[in-house]
């Protein structure tokens, strides 16, 4: 109530709404001979709003081809005559007033697109609105309906998907909240989404029976359609990446006893009568909203890591994002908390697309406070890395005693640090490695289950802690396949950020020894380093043929052109994402014995192993001269990723632990 009635500007300037008082001049909408989407806009008067809606469609368009169908429902004003002057518009005119349901069904009958997008005339769309809804269908095979995030002109959230309670009453999630709250930036299954901006396949709309005429002229038709789609085995998703500004009340008013709104109460009774069996499984009226939002989920899983994952930054981030995606697919409601408290808007939205809420500042102050408030809701907590898990394992046991405590080692830090100490002959590093060993082993004993990424580490822990439950949850990669033949490929690639000590040592080895020897045999060969690299290191390691490109948006163009990738790691632990990534694109890898440890790889079968500079030179020359060898390594590398580092293998591990 406080948010609804407090004073605030009428318009949020960041939304860039089009004015309603702009004098009419003919304009044109995008047209397509083969539209993928048919946008259906029912109108009954309110011409100024309709024109603003259509201008927003013309202004922002979409990558997908679409057509616009306006159904004039016997408007009492000059809507039909004016709209006839808008180019590219298909205008249908009802001889008598059919209401929202009749007009939408008439528009759907005239549509040519694969998809139908029902859009209220008192909305304005924003950049990317339509493509985001289509992306939801592309990324969720079970998507039957996708609906936009609806915001008021003053910038507050109007709807982030709808809730239906057991008595048939409904609530629009997030109403009056700030629109950028992370909870409402998550793609999420909803009970229904508003017909103000709703996307559905045309064939599915037909199979579901369209908008049910028993609710004519309007109200409950969108909730009814959602229940019909679920009955057909599909789901309804709220898509926060699609934003529409909705002037709620303009088209129908707000008084439940007058105008169109008077149909809301009687239609609730019809809805309850039709869906009595399904409503029995809905949350009871009065259920707290946060619990109702997660009603369709199996339970809540909290994941904590040092910082927000960014897949382009490191392989650990790529793996964690894949884990979050699998948890969502398995029906868990997930939340991620970065220990440093930071997450950029882009990172919040990226995890939101995986169905994951980001618990970061300023919305969440710290993990202890959040656990005190929400610990009782958790099914499991995954703490990543011993530096993070060591801080919070006790707090989880105290505030979420019912939750499974899962420790994700990411890799065994003590093993990597001990090897670095041995390589550098450093007593200080050896003491740090021993401290890490004590910390990690204590956490593995304390946790219900610990995850490691390689069979080597699993075997090591079986000897050190035979009573502990240790599961293999390795890197997770899509298999992209080899897209370019051996002919025409040249140069080498190293993938990895300089901030990771094994990577910085590897780049130094490349610059100081491996590349100079390579260029003695192949004077024109270059090594392209892809990953974060400080300017000081660039200058220090400047070497003929060594090119630093920093972090790149896409690895595929580089992997499609290179002869091979290098993994000259002299210490480390776990499995190496740089090797997985290369092999997932069918690119052969030349790597050290340490680099291939625990990756089920064999020299000459699916990788070439080299432990000194001369061996790296020999391996590269073999790959350049022997196309048959190159092809064999390419094919067998792809098989290795499919067999050992697929989503299916990781999903099975998560099922074993969480089910």
């Amino acid at each position: 109530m406080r948010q609804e009635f407090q004073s605030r500007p009428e318009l949020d300037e960041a939304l860039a709404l089009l004015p309603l008082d702009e004098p009419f001049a003919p304009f044109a909408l995008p047209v397509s001979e083969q539209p993928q989407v048919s946008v259906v806009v029912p109108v009954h008067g309110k011409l100024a709003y309709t024109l603003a809606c259509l201008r927003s469609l013309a202004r922002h368009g979409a990558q997908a081809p679409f057509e616009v169908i306006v159904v004039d429902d016997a408007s009492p004003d000059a809507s039909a005559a004016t709209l006839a002057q808008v180019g590219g518009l298909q205008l249908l005119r009802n001889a008598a007033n059919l209401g929202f349901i009749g007009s939408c069904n008439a528009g759907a009958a005239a549509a040519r697109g694969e998809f139908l997008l029902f859009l209220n005339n008192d909305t304005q769309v924003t950049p990317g609105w339509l493509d985001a809804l289509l992306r939801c269908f592309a990324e969720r095979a079970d998507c039957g309906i996708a609906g936009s995030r609806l915001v008021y002109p003053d910038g507050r959230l109007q709807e982030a998907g709808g809730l239906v309670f057991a008595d048939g009453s409904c609530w629009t999630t997030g109403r009056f909240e700030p629109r950028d709250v992370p909870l409402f930036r998550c793609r999420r299954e909803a009970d229904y989404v508003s017909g103000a901006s709703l996307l559905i396949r045309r064939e599915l709309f037909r199979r579901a029976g369209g908008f049910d005429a028993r609710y004519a002229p309007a109200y409950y038709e969108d909730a009814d359609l959602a229940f019909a789609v679920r009955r057909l085995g599909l789901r309804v998703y709220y898509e926060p990446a699609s934003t529409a500004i909705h002037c709620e009340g303009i088209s129908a008013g707000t008084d439940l006893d007058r105008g169109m709104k008077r149909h809301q109460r009687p239609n609730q009774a019809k809805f309850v009568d039709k869906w009595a069996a399904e409503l029995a499984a809905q949350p009871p009226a009065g259920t707290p909203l946060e619990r109702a939002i997660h009603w369709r989920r199996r339970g809540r899983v909290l994941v904590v890591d040092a910082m927000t994952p960014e897949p382009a930054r490191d392989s650990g981030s790529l793996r964690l994002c894949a884990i979050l995606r699998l948890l969502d697919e398995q029906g868990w409601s997930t939340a991620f908390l970065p220990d440093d408290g930071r997450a950029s808007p882009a990172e919040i939205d990226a995890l939101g697309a995986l169905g994951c809420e980001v618990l970061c500042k300023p919305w969440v102050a710290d993990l202890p406070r959040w656990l005190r408030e929400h610990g009782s809701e958790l099914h499991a907590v995954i703490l990543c890395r011993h530096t993070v898990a060591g801080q919070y394992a006790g707090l989880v046991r105290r505030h979420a005693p019912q939750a499974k405590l899962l420790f994700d080692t990411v890799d065994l830090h003590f093993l990597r640090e001990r090897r670095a100490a041995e390589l550098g002959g450093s007593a200080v590093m050896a003491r740090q490695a021993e401290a890490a060993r004590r910390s990690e082993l204590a956490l593995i004993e304390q946790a219900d289950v610990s995850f490691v990424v390689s069979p080597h580490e699993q075997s090591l822990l079986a000897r050190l802690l035979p009573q502990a439950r240790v599961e293999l949850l390795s890197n997770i990669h899509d298999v992209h396949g080899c897209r370019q033949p051996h002919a025409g490929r040249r140069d080498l690639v190293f993938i990895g950020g300089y901030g990771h000590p094994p990577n910085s040592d590897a780049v130094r080895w490349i610059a100081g020894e491996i590349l100079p020897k390579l260029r003695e045999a192949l004077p024109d060969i270059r090594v392209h380093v892809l990953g974060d690299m400080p300017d000081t290191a660039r200058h220090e390691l400047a070497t003929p043929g060594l090119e630093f490109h920093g972090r790149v948006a896409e690895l595929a163009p580089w992997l499609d052109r290179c002869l091979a990738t290098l993994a000259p790691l002299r210490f480390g632990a776990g499995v190496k994402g740089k090797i997985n990534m290369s092999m997932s694109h069918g690119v052969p890898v030349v790597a050290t014995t340490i680099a291939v440890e625990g990756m089920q790889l064999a020299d000459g079968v699916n990788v070439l192993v080299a432990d000194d500079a001369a061996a790296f030179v020999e391996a590269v020359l073999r790959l350049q001269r022997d196309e048959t060898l190159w092809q064999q390594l390419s094919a067998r590398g792809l098989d290795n990723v499919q067999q050992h580092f697929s989503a299916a293998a990781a999903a099975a591990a998560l099922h074993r632990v969480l089910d």
Side-chain angles (χ1 to χ4, degrees), residues 236-252:
V236 178
Y237 284 98
Y238 156 68
E239 177 51 70
S242 171
T243 297
I245 306 153
H246 186 207
C247 304
E248 185 188 50
I250 293 299
S251 53

Side-chain angles (χ1 to χ4, degrees), residues 188-268:
R188 185 183 71 252
E189 188 179 359
D191 292 335
Y192 76 99
V193 294
S194 169
S197 180
L198 181 157
L199 185 69
I200 184 172
R201 281 191 167 87
R202 181 160 55 100
E203 174 58 21
L204 179 62
F205 185 73
R206 183 195 64 78
R207 287 172 55 207
F211 286 125
D212 192 335
R214 80 181 67 191
Y215 302 103
Y219 285 103
Y220 271 87
E221 72 285 338
D222 42 17
D224 179 87
L225 182 64
F227 274 60
V229 162
R230 269 192 296 276
R231 178 177 280 178
L232 293 171
L234 296 171
R235 297 185 180 184
V236 178
Y237 284 98
Y238 156 68
E239 177 51 70
S242 171
T243 297
I245 306 153
H246 186 207
C247 304
E248 185 188 50
I250 293 299
S251 53
T254 57
D255 188 338
L256 292 178
D257 295 315
R258 299 179 60 188
M260 290 293 292
K261 280 280 187 179
R262 74 184 188 277
H263 300 286
Q264 192 163 329
R265 288 194 186 101
N267 280 358
Q268 179 178 340

